[in-house]
Amino acid sequence: HIAVCMLPKGHNRDSIMQELAKFGIQTSMHYPNIRDFSLMSEYKYLINTPNCNEYTERCMTIPLYEDLEYDDLKYIVKSTNEFFD
């Protein structure tokens, strides 16, 4: 139901998301770190989630929906690949 990308280490997700927005590509971030939920605020420093921390910094959701045209998909992939070697 969503397409989540795991960005390579060393890339800044927020700046990539901002740049993709300039290309008209809406992105988002699903599944935040459990430590960032308000319910966990008083326990946040008791929870050690190194894998979740890394995932949260590197994941990005790209468009995926039923009416997505093949040319749109190619555009999304090409635009996203501009940020990687």
Side-chain angles (χ1 to χ4, degrees):
H1 70 286
I2 60 174
V4 179
C5 301
M6 193 68 167
L7 300 174
K9 289 182 180 185
H11 288 83
N12 184 294
R13 181 196 64 220
D14 295 332
S15 39
I16 291 173
M17 291 173 73
Q18 289 172 2
E19 290 299 314
L20 287 173
K22 293 177 185 176
F23 290 107
I25 300 171
Q26 180 181 358
T27 59
S28 58
M29 202 292 271
H30 286 80
Y31 312 121
N33 192 328
I34 191 171
R35 292 177 51 174
D36 297 333
F37 286 90
S38 58
L39 179 66
M40 302 303 290
S41 62
E42 69 180 272
Y43 305 106
K44 139 186 251 178
Y45 299 103
L46 299 174
I47 302 170
N48 184 17
T49 56
N51 293 333
C52 192
N53 294 343
E54 182 175 344
Y55 170 81
T56 303
E57 292 171 5
R58 293 176 49 204
C59 72
M60 175 180 72
T61 304
I62 59 173
L64 174 69
Y65 50 91
E66 183 177 344
D67 296 331
L68 186 66
E69 298 287 334
Y70 182 71
D71 287 341
D72 294 331
L73 180 59
K74 286 184 359 184
Y75 177 72
I76 292 166
V77 171
K78 182 180 180 207
S79 300
T80 303
N81 281 338
E82 293 289 321
F83 301 99
F84 312 111
D85 300 320

